[in-house]
Amino acid sequence: MTLVSTLIGTLLFTLIAPVVGCFLAGLDRIVSARMQGRVGPPLLQPYYDVRKLFEKERASVNSVESVYVGAALLFALLAGGVFFSGGNLLLCVFVITLSSLFFIMAAYSTRSPYAEVGAARETLQVMSYEPMVLLMAVAFFQATGSFDVGAVFVQPHPIICTIGLVFLGVLFILTIKLRKSPFDLALSHHAHQEIVRGVTTEMSGPTLGLVEIMHWCENVLFMGWIGLFFVWGNPISVALALLIVVLVYFLEIWIDNNFARVKWQLMFKSAWLVALIAGGVNIALLAFL
């Protein structure tokens, strides 16, 4: 991986990911509405919402909130650029975690009680899923011999054949990272959020628009992680990976519409237990066998 390829990947990700993420968000709303017996909004409703946010007057409770949000978006775009340019997966994990930390700092900077509760819950979510994400990077190295994402394209078989348990663990924490019920503790895109809008309570206008775009880009990156398990040296594998990504996304929508929110204690314990069993056991087997 070179600096030039990373910059090109980041630029392409900046241009393409928001578009793909917007369509995924619109599809999410339509499918959720159909599951609930409603017609639902048009496919481009997320775009209309964000465009309206950018047309509003900028009104922030302080001068640093938008800076933190902008930094969070920047690091999310950089993480996507590193990943889709075939760069270092471990670096991608660290950068997207740094993006989450800036987002948490943006909520804390508002000094709003509701936003601080949301930021505390966001911190708990990061603490819950981060072990499994790190174990995913370690298992990827064991399966390919390299942290570079591009290494999967020279493998004789998909890496899910050797780290299938890790895939199940990633599938579990994906619900947390996509902010789906039952783990949407800090921020929900639905009306059942009891702490108003949680971590984004005090965000509005263009700042909130940047948050939405960041979530779109994050979703594309996380779906890329899922597709990574099903790619190997055969070009046809890319089509298979896309099919699996679509099926997993529909699964997450179904889970979101059929499970009630749990307490943070259950989320934390279950995520770490899954990381220990799925990630730890799989890595141990690869290390000893």
Side-chain angles (χ1 to χ4, degrees), residues 83-84 149 218-231 241 245:
F83 179 83
F84 285 101
V149 175
E218 286 178 339
N219 289 349
V220 174
L221 174 60
F222 302 150
M223 290 296 102
W225 289 358
I226 295 297
L228 185 67
F229 286 88
F230 298 91
V231 178
V245 164

Side-chain angles (χ1 to χ4, degrees), residues 41-242:
L43 181 63
L44 292 179
Q45 187 60 48
Y47 164 73
Y48 300 142
D49 293 342
V50 170
R51 186 179 67 178
K52 184 167 63 175
L53 288 173
F54 279 103
E55 292 173 352
K56 292 181 178 292
E57 181 181 356
R58 183 179 297 275
S60 301
V61 295
N62 54 48
S63 59
V64 299
E65 178 192 59
S66 58
V67 176
Y68 284 139
V69 171
L73 174 60
L74 177 63
F75 282 112
L77 294 173
L78 181 59
V82 170
F83 179 83
F84 285 101
S85 64
N88 192 292
L89 179 62
L90 188 61
L91 177 61
C92 172
V93 169
F94 286 148
V95 173
I96 196 63
T97 301
L98 185 59
S99 172
S100 301
L101 295 180
F102 272 106
F103 185 46
I104 293 170
M105 291 171 63
Y108 272 124
S109 70
T110 64
R111 309 307 301 172
S112 164
Y114 289 118
E116 289 193 359
V117 171
R121 291 184 174 187
E122 183 76 12
T123 305
L124 287 169
Q125 290 185 186
V126 173
M127 293 171 61
S128 298
Y129 65 66
E130 198 63 22
M132 188 64 244
V133 174
L134 292 174
L135 290 178
M136 175 192 72
V138 174
F140 177 83
F141 177 82
Q142 289 183 307
T144 63
S146 171
F147 279 116
D148 289 342
V149 175
V152 296
F153 292 99
V154 296
Q155 299 300 311
H157 52 74
I159 60 174
I160 192 174
C161 295
T162 53
I163 55 174
L165 287 177
V166 172
F167 173 75
L168 294 179
V170 173
L171 202 60
F172 182 86
I173 61 100
L174 182 66
T175 308
I176 305 176
K177 296 191 72 66
L178 292 182
R179 306 181 185 280
K180 301 294 187 183
S181 186
F183 302 132
D184 56 339
L185 278 73
L187 176 64
S188 173
H189 294 282
H190 303 293
H192 60 253
Q193 178 60 271
E194 83 283 357
I195 56 172
V196 195
R197 281 284 289 173
V199 72
T200 59
T201 298
E202 299 299 329
M203 300 178 188
S204 62
T207 302
L208 187 57
L210 292 177
V211 171
E212 293 297 325
I213 294 176
M214 180 183 71
H215 291 334
W216 294 348
C217 296
E218 286 178 339
N219 289 349
V220 174
L221 174 60
F222 302 150
M223 290 296 102
W225 289 358
I226 295 297
L228 185 67
F229 286 88
F230 298 91
V231 178
W232 71 96
N234 194 327
I236 301 178
S237 64
V238 177
L240 173 63
L242 289 174

